[in-house]
Amino acid sequence: MKNIRNFCIIAHIDHGKSTLADRLLELTRTLGARDMENQVLDDMDLEKEKGITIKSHAIQMVHHYRGEEYKLNLIDTPGHVDFSYEVSRSIASCEGALLVVDASQGVQAQTISNLYMAIDHGLEIIPILNKIDMESAQVEVVTDEICDLLGCDPADVFKVSARTGEGVAPILDAIVEKIPAPQGDPQGPLQALIFDSVFNSFRGVIAYFKIKNGSIRKGDKVKFFATGMDYEVEEVGILKMKLVPTAEIGCGDVGYVITGIKSATEVKVGDTITHVAHPCAKAIAGFEEVKPMVFAGMYPVQADKFEELRAVLEKFQLNDASFVYEPESSLALGSGFRCGFLGLLHLEIVQERLFREFDMDVITTVPNVSYKVYTTQGDVVDVHNPSGLPAQTLIDHIEEPYIRAQIISKSEFFGPIMKLCLDRRGTLIGQHYITADRVELTYDMPLSEIVFDFYDKLKTISKGYASFDYHVMDFRPARLVRLDILLNGEPADALSTLIHEDNAYDFGRRMCVKLKDLIPRQQFDIPIQAAIGAKIIARETVKQVRKDVTAKCYGGDVTRKRKLLEKQKEGKKRMRQIGSVQVPQSAFMAVLKLDS
């Protein structure tokens, strides 16, 4: 065990975590030169296209130091706030962390957030200053920021360029020297924490774990704590670029296990594996249950694909434990699922992955957050969906989730950022100058105000400099109303939203104008109305397509023309009573981009 080191790489998005991982893999010769490519651990097409890490990736390297061979288990983590759950799972299975900071950007919000998470778990932190080869690098300034944050000496900060490989080699020695070896009892009963799992259509579920006590061999009888079910181990092994089978995985090490489980629901991330014959006394206190922040409905494009969608979501949840779903139905869209996500980017990525990995095309409804509704009878109802809101007469008051947001930016953008936050009902809690020209703002804001386009707006007004991180605080009372969109007098429940009273009129009017452009013209006039209860607050009309019925009239009395027009009008009226309006998918997504 003394020759094992488990560590992860944490940083803000785009500070060079995956590139540093590439150099470490090269230096330890884990990959041959012909297999090497940029961001080699980002194995999803989507990750390469967007240039972000979505999943944590574990890999084992071997490093020789002072005549001894050390096993280094590296986990590369995502940097975006929407995937912070992946980071928390990686931190739970490590003893140390490399904290990477971009020399041109400096310390940013997600850097601080991930650092505190690592310190809470008692991890040893190795600070690394990356991108020192860039012209805009401010090496001394950013080194001082890191020293202020960690209380370390400037000499302790490794100055590297992950792109060129400059200064990376000493990090491997520092990992061996500074990060402690895992603690545990090799002779004790088996206790292994599952930190990730994937579904393979030939082998079933493959679970990735870290052993805290004991060891696991091929042929062992094991059971999973959460489900209490027994299995025989078909294969264990270590995680290289491919899965490498071995006879045994020892205490403190990281590996994978295949037990032939075919049902995705039997494996829970955060569960504990133990032996059937000599079980451990209790499960490992793993990471906390994830709380989704944004809810949206997902419906199959063809109604008969409902069961297929259920099977796909079950398999997908294995690989993304922060995604939750439950069945629901909608008048407009039929049967589907209410899904919970950690943020809008997470929603976008899930939708894209379902299409690419499972060939599943889905319709997504307007995202919203979860509210607590207190009724006049004294009950508390959790409402994820506007259609689940009780009648107005039964509601005593509604509470909405509030977040504590941390924004770090250059001080020249201080004014526009404050205006943006105030427009979104934010309350300034504090401001703190990290350096002479970098300021950290702390705001309390309603989660519903940042769900749509807050992050995009923040990036725009700060020219891409501001960084943003948040965590949920509590629920607070709010004056919310349900805004319905009526098409031809019928409510389109998929377009309903819960919105603050002060913003309802403006939002309803913009929705009507947008939908007027998106809904195709029919044989009859389509009124588009925004309503709060029985009160209509905005209206637009999609004009009918008309045939020129008076074309055959030439000369004669005007009553002939009028007779034909009246006849046409009667027909249109009849048509409007039985006509239904199809809402295109673009209309659901347009709600997110109302300002563009």
Side-chain angles (χ1 to χ4, degrees):
M1 272 174 77
K2 68 179 176 50
N3 287 19
I4 297 174
R5 299 288 182 272
N6 300 317
F7 68 99
C8 58
I9 305 180
I10 54 176
H12 188 79
I13 189 167
D14 206 25
H15 279 203
K17 295 177 295 299
S18 299
T19 313
L20 179 64
D22 289 353
R23 297 296 84 77
L24 295 176
L25 293 174
E26 268 178 8
L27 287 168
T28 53
R29 297 193 171 83
T30 305
L31 285 182
R34 66 181 345 180
D35 296 325
M36 203 63 212
E37 55 178 303
N38 285 343
Q39 278 98 25
V40 67
L41 290 180
D42 291 351
D43 50 8
M44 257 185 249
D45 293 343
L46 207 54
E47 291 180 311
K48 287 193 166 42
E49 277 169 35
K50 289 188 179 280
I52 58 174
T53 305
I54 294 167
K55 286 285 300 168
S56 295
H57 300 275
I59 191 163
Q60 190 174 91
M61 306 179 287
V62 175
H63 178 54
H64 296 275
Y65 176 69
R66 292 187 180 166
E68 287 196 62
E69 188 177 277
Y70 286 85
K71 274 193 222 171
L72 309 182
N73 290 312
L74 153 71
I75 303 180
D76 178 28
T77 64
H80 196 282
V81 64
D82 277 14
F83 304 111
S84 54
Y85 184 63
E86 291 283 326
V87 183
S88 78
R89 287 166 28 192
S90 310
I91 286 173
S93 37
C94 292
E95 282 81 39
L98 307 184
L99 180 76
V100 181
V101 179
D102 184 331
S104 59
Q105 303 261 4
V107 170
Q108 295 196 296
Q110 202 59 31
T111 316
I112 296 172
S113 171
N114 289 342
L115 172 67
Y116 287 161
M117 208 190 293
I119 291 171
D120 285 348
H121 279 77
L123 267 61
E124 183 65 41
I125 310 291
I126 298 177
I128 296 169
L129 186 65
N130 190 18
K131 305 192 187 180
I132 57 167
D133 58 322
M134 289 178 71
E135 284 178 21
S136 56
Q138 303 166 297
V139 177
E140 280 78 20
V141 175
V142 181
T143 303
D144 289 344
E145 282 182 29
I146 296 171
C147 294
D148 286 349
L149 194 62
L150 287 173
C152 63
D153 206 79
D156 296 341
V157 180
F158 288 86
K159 297 171 182 67
V160 307
S161 165
R163 189 167 57 90
T164 62
E166 178 191 341
V168 177
I171 293 175
L172 287 165
D173 294 346
I175 290 167
V176 173
E177 289 167 8
K178 295 188 175 181
I179 293 176
Q183 302 292 313
D185 176 8
Q187 304 308 319
L190 171 67
Q191 214 180 10
L193 176 76
I194 300 176
F195 65 87
D196 205 357
S197 54
V198 291
F199 187 83
N200 182 306
S201 43
F202 301 106
R203 311 293 308 267
V205 177
I206 303 172
Y208 299 161
F209 62 83
K210 181 207 172 186
I211 296 186
K212 196 172 175 189
N213 295 310
S215 60
I216 187 168
R217 291 180 190 80
K218 185 178 175 180
D220 280 356
K221 287 266 194 302
V222 294
K223 73 170 182 178
F224 288 24
F225 247 84
T227 56
M229 296 173 84
D230 303 355
Y231 306 97
E232 185 171 331
V233 176
E234 291 179 10
E235 181 178 308
V236 291
I238 53 173
L239 303 157
K240 296 273 188 171
M241 277 316 284
K242 294 188 172 65
L243 304 176
V244 182
T246 56
E248 180 181 13
I249 302 283
C251 186
D253 213 345
V254 173
Y256 72 90
V257 61
I258 299 174
T259 52
I261 299 171
K262 290 289 185 281
S263 166
T265 51
E266 291 174 33
V267 179
K268 301 266 188 300
V269 168
D271 196 2
T272 302
I273 307 174
T274 188
H275 282 134
V276 174
H278 305 287
C280 56
K282 61 180 195 305
I284 298 170
F287 19 85
E288 69 286 347
E289 273 289 302
V290 63
K291 292 185 179 66
M293 299 298 145
V294 176
F295 293 86
M298 278 194 171
Y299 295 85
V301 176
Q302 285 108 9
D304 56 349
K305 293 272 182 80
F306 174 71
E307 284 302 327
E308 197 180 316
L309 178 60
R310 186 198 294 272
V312 164
L313 292 181
E314 225 173 70
K315 287 176 188 164
F316 181 80
Q317 196 180 29
L318 255 191
N319 196 241
D320 185 349
S322 57
F323 170 75
V324 294
Y325 66 94
E326 57 183 39
E328 71 160 9
S329 62
S330 148
L331 294 172
L333 300 167
S335 296
F337 293 93
R338 185 102 205 126
C339 305
F341 307 91
L342 296 184
L344 268 199
L345 178 70
H346 189 207
L347 182 148
E348 194 183 310
I349 297 290
V350 168
Q351 206 174 346
E352 191 67 31
R353 282 182 67 189
L354 288 176
F355 181 65
R356 291 189 188 201
E357 294 172 26
F358 301 98
D359 202 19
M360 192 81 220
D361 213 353
V362 292
I363 292 173
T364 312
T365 64
V366 180
N368 55 12
V369 300
S370 172
Y371 298 94
K372 284 192 187 302
V373 178
Y374 290 80
T375 64
T376 47
Q377 275 94 33
D379 299 330
V380 183
V381 185
D382 278 333
V383 174
H384 305 312
N385 190 342
S387 60
L389 196 70
Q392 199 65 42
T393 50
L394 299 175
I395 296 172
D396 181 48
H397 69 280
I398 303 176
E399 290 188 353
E400 64 177 337
Y402 261 68
I403 57 156
R404 175 67 52 89
Q406 258 182 331
I407 299 166
I408 296 178
S409 166
K410 289 197 165 180
S411 45
E412 65 194 83
F413 306 120
F414 185 75
I417 289 173
M418 283 191 80
K419 184 180 181 311
L420 175 69
C421 294
L422 289 170
D423 288 349
R424 300 297 175 97
R425 300 192 281 135
T427 312
L428 181 64
I429 300 299
Q431 64 192 60
H432 164 61
Y433 278 86
I434 299 170
T435 62
D437 68 335
R438 285 168 63 89
V439 65
E440 179 188 348
L441 296 170
T442 309
Y443 270 92
D444 277 1
M445 296 170 76
L447 179 63
S448 57
E449 295 286 349
I450 66 151
V451 160
F452 290 136
D453 53 358
F454 180 82
Y455 194 59
D456 295 346
K457 288 253 174 65
L458 182 68
K459 283 289 182 197
T460 308
I461 60 178
S462 65
K463 300 187 178 155
Y465 273 106
S467 65
F468 175 66
D469 176 47
Y470 65 87
H471 60 270
V472 173
M473 294 275 296
D474 51 15
F475 280 77
R476 299 181 193 176
R479 292 181 299 125
L480 297 171
V481 291
R482 177 172 142 190
L483 182 75
D484 289 315
I485 299 294
L486 309 177
L487 300 175
N488 198 14
E490 292 291 321
D493 64 342
L495 290 171
S496 297
T497 48
L498 280 173
I499 191 162
H500 195 264
E501 219 170 65
D502 298 346
N503 304 339
Y505 171 71
D506 184 47
F507 185 78
R509 197 174 47 75
R510 295 201 329 253
M511 279 270 278
C512 291
V513 171
K514 193 84 174 177
L515 288 171
K516 184 185 174 185
D517 299 337
L518 291 167
I519 290 176
R521 289 171 70 186
Q522 308 258 6
Q523 292 284 341
F524 52 93
D525 276 355
I526 304 171
I528 302 168
Q529 296 162 310
I532 297 171
K535 183 182 173 189
I536 305 292
I537 58 169
R539 170 181 170 136
E540 293 288 332
T541 308
V542 179
K543 282 308 208 186
Q544 61 195 1
V545 183
R546 291 180 58 178
K547 181 182 171 188
D548 188 359
V549 288
T550 59
K552 61 188 181 189
C553 290
Y554 47 91
D557 188 23
V558 73
T559 52
R560 287 181 63 204
K561 285 188 178 177
R562 191 163 292 144
K563 184 180 163 193
L564 290 168
L565 287 168
E566 287 296 329
K567 195 173 170 188
Q568 184 188 34
K569 198 165 151 192
E570 281 298 315
K572 297 278 184 202
K573 199 191 243 175
R574 222 174 21 254
M575 212 181 271
R576 188 176 149 187
Q577 283 166 355
I578 58 165
S580 64
V581 182
Q582 292 297 319
V583 184
Q585 167 69 4
S586 55
F588 296 119
M589 297 321 288
V591 181
L592 309 186
K593 304 179 180 72
L594 270 181
D595 294 349
S596 54

